[in-house]
Amino acid sequence: MDSPRVSVVTGFHNGGALLRPSLESVLGQSWGDLELIAVDDGSTDGSRAVVEKIARRDRRVRLIGQDHRGLTSALIRGCREASGELIARHDSDDLSPPERLVRQVETLRADPRLTMVSSWARAVGPKGETLLEIRRPL
């Protein structure tokens, strides 16, 4: 695979039921020129098998394992392994809308003074209720 434009990095430890939909939301991006680097931080709950299954059907996924050292260590490892021009962070319980990456890449391209962009965020409770919403000016 040629080097992708965007490397999406996620670290996980015992990702549970949220891991699969989270990773699928990355792979479902309208911006397809990406790699997904998933760093398993010593999971013991079967999360690694979930990512292995996804990686078998989508060659954009790279699974990296390490002993449990914490999220920061996993993210540093993932960023070190990234081959994309840009790095996007994605937590293992995040759901990214399909246009997230294309909007972020377009924003970076439009203004060469920018070195980082972020997005609005919404924390959702167990019943789908909004717990917190962060909307910053564009």
Side-chain angles (χ1 to χ4, degrees):
M1 177 166 98
D2 293 330
S3 292
R5 177 69 184 231
V6 178
S7 295
V8 180
V9 176
T10 189
F12 66 94
H13 175 77
N14 295 342
L18 300 176
L19 183 60
R20 175 177 281 117
S22 177
L23 300 182
E24 296 290 352
S25 78
V26 171
L27 298 173
Q29 291 292 299
S30 60
W31 183 272
D33 188 13
L34 64 88
E35 70 176 342
L36 172 57
I37 300 172
V39 182
D40 177 7
D41 187 44
S43 294
T44 58
D45 72 341
S47 293
R48 183 179 183 90
V50 168
V51 180
E52 287 171 341
K53 184 175 181 181
I54 294 170
R56 280 194 294 275
R57 73 170 204 279
D58 194 320
R59 66 187 194 105
R60 298 175 296 170
V61 178
R62 281 201 293 153
L63 174 60
I64 298 167
Q66 68 178 32
D67 293 335
H68 184 53
R69 294 191 303 256
L71 179 61
T72 301
S73 174
L75 296 176
I76 291 169
R77 175 85 184 272
C79 288
R80 190 179 310 123
E81 299 284 337
S83 61
E85 177 184 340
L86 303 169
I87 294 176
R89 270 278 291 116
H90 183 90
D91 282 331
S92 63
D93 61 350
D94 285 351
L95 296 175
S96 287
E99 299 296 317
R100 172 195 168 192
L101 292 179
V102 72
R103 287 182 180 195
Q104 289 178 330
V105 170
E106 286 174 351
T107 300
L108 284 168
R109 283 181 175 165
D111 188 345
R113 297 172 300 164
L114 296 176
T115 57
M116 184 194 96
V117 296
S118 63
S119 60
W120 293 351
R122 181 170 35 126
V124 179
K127 297 177 183 169
E129 72 277 18
T130 298
L131 301 175
L132 169 72
E133 193 164 72
I134 300 170
R135 291 185 174 223
R136 294 192 172 93
L138 299 175

